[in-house]
Amino acid sequence: MDNDEPLEDETKDETETELAAQSSDDMLYCEAEAPTTVVKEKPTWEDSETDLEIEDTERSFTTGQRELYLEACKLVGVVPVSYFIRNMEEPYMNLSHHGLGPMGTKAIAIALVSNTAIIGLELEDNCIMEEGVLSLVEMLHENYYLQELNISDNDLGLEGAKIIADFLQRSISSLWKLKLSGNNFKEESAALLSHALSSNYRIKKLNLSHNEFSDKGGEYLGQMLALNVGLQSLDLSWNHFHIQGAMALCSGLRTNVTLKKLNLSMNGFGNEGAQALGEVLKLNSCLTHVDVSGNDISNEGASKLSRGLEYNETLQELKLFLNPITMDGAVLLILSIKRNPKSKMEELDISNVLVTEQFTKTLDGVYAVHPQLNVLYDTVKSLSGKKQALSLRTKPMKLIQSYVDQHKIRIVDFFKSLNPTGAMEMPVGEFRRAMIQQNKVPLNRNQVGELIKKLEEPKGMVNFSSLL
């Protein structure tokens, strides 16, 4: 825990005395305001251990915010968190695993009412409870700068879900990214949250993973997906959806027009769920990333999914890792992509499927049609070792460096020439296609993959800036 020792309270000015007298918990913290003057003498309880030496040019904002937070801590009776004080001008504040509790969270919320610097707040695993959630949503009614909030693993349960659902239904903040993973949300919570999200258009990225939603929760969430026009990314991994829940979720996806990324891994879709998802992929023109890893999908389910891949024109990534699919199912999947001339697939993850050299030859034919595609799979050791030796024989950057030296150009200009826009970054799929199709520096797919690992950023782009 990153807290200071309890601060001494040897002297109090008039403002502190007034606040101490107001001991009622009914006092609305939103009424607290940062002091308008910063010329007050430093109280003796702000000793050197708080490490708050501040430059004069920064004193106006920081001192006012610091004093407001310290007063809030005194009001609710908690020890100030020195990390929060030191970083309250930074855009991202990570207070996960700090043991704040509801009162510590309330003090943070009081300070954030008037904070204009912090746009991302991490409060994972702090036992904030219902009272802490209530403080946070009241703060969000006033603070229009905070955009990202993580309150995962706080065991909020039904009461916490009620508070959050009421807040979402009002849709009155700037919050667009919300993490609610691991909060023991069950079917009733799913009903409340789904109802609120049906009319909420501000939340773009939502994480509800590691909760206790089952098939009934899937029905509620499916109804929400049919109505929601804001969500672009939804994580429902590690819940308890089975066939009925899978069918309901897919039914909602049929009419959803905004969701791009969907994580349904580690549930129990089975082949029936895979069939429903395959039907969605035939019609959906918005989804770009789907993860159904660990869903007990066999070759039968892979066959159903492949029928959707034959028609889909937007999906870029499909993860099927940890499903009981064999090489026969893998062949069906890659051939369905080959048959779709408009496929945008960039990555198919079947990395637990053991394949033979015959499969890789078939895959080469698919790559010829879709050079942007990358298929992750397992191989027998002899084949894997041979390919690895081939890819490591000559480092791709060494070959490219030799080319640019010979032509007296910069290496960054070589990469920029592959981008039609001439920009310093481009999507991974487009980069892979460009590198394989260019004839200036012949590279195999393994060498191109090595280049992507070197240049890729978390957002799915390769960036050439690091080569300057």
Side-chain angles (χ1 to χ4, degrees), residues 369-387:
V369 178
H370 296 289
Q372 82 283 357
L373 178 65
N374 185 41
V375 178
L376 305 177
Y377 54 85
D378 195 8
T379 60
V380 295
K381 290 184 178 180
S382 59
L383 178 60
S384 177
K386 185 169 70 174
K387 283 200 167 188

Side-chain angles (χ1 to χ4, degrees), residues 114-243:
S114 57
N115 184 285
T116 61
I118 297 173
I119 62 173
L121 177 63
E122 300 271 343
L123 292 174
E124 183 177 346
D125 182 30
N126 271 291
C127 195
I128 67 178
M129 304 176 70
E130 294 84 7
E131 189 171 358
V133 175
L134 187 59
S135 297
L136 290 171
V137 299
E138 288 179 357
M139 173 269 294
L140 287 167
H141 290 170
E142 305 293 329
N143 182 315
Y144 285 89
Y145 294 88
L146 193 64
Q147 301 175 32
E148 305 175 25
L149 177 63
N150 180 2
I151 48 176
S152 298
D153 297 320
N154 278 290
D155 197 22
L156 301 179
L158 180 58
E159 293 305 313
K162 288 179 180 178
I163 297 170
I164 295 167
D166 181 64
F167 162 72
L168 292 174
Q169 200 157 11
R170 297 186 186 189
S171 193
I172 52 177
S173 78
S174 298
L175 203 67
W176 64 269
K177 182 177 180 180
L178 181 60
K179 292 184 179 181
L180 297 170
S181 176
N183 273 304
N184 197 29
F185 291 151
K186 299 181 181 179
E187 309 299 63
E188 289 182 80
S189 298
L192 292 168
L193 294 170
S194 297
H195 178 69
L197 288 164
S198 293
S199 57
N200 182 292
Y201 61 90
R202 294 184 183 273
I203 300 297
K204 306 298 182 187
K205 191 170 185 177
L206 178 65
N207 188 329
L208 287 169
S209 64
H210 291 271
N211 279 296
E212 305 295 324
F213 302 140
S214 61
D215 285 342
K216 194 64 179 177
E219 291 181 18
Y220 293 129
L221 290 162
Q223 294 167 10
M224 178 273 293
L225 286 172
L227 298 171
N228 180 275
V229 292
L231 278 176
Q232 296 178 5
S233 175
L234 177 61
D235 189 343
L236 292 172
S237 62
W238 293 94
N239 277 281
H240 306 292
F241 303 122
H242 293 91
I243 297 173

Side-chain angles (χ1 to χ4, degrees), residues 5 15 20 62 84 94 114 129 140 182 196 223 277 293 316 337 364 366 380 385 387 450 455:
E5 295 297 322
T15 303
T62 308
F84 179 68
N94 190 343
S114 57
M129 304 176 70
L140 287 167
Q223 294 167 10
L277 182 57
S293 301
Q316 298 173 15
I337 298 172
D364 286 339
V366 180
V380 295
K387 283 200 167 188
E450 185 178 334
L455 301 172

Side-chain angles (χ1 to χ4, degrees), residues 309 312-313 315 337 340-345 370 372 433:
L309 293 176
N312 187 277
E313 299 179 14
L315 194 66
I337 298 172
N340 183 355
K342 296 183 178 180
S343 175
K344 295 295 191 299
M345 281 291 292
H370 296 289
Q372 82 283 357
R433 178 194 292 270

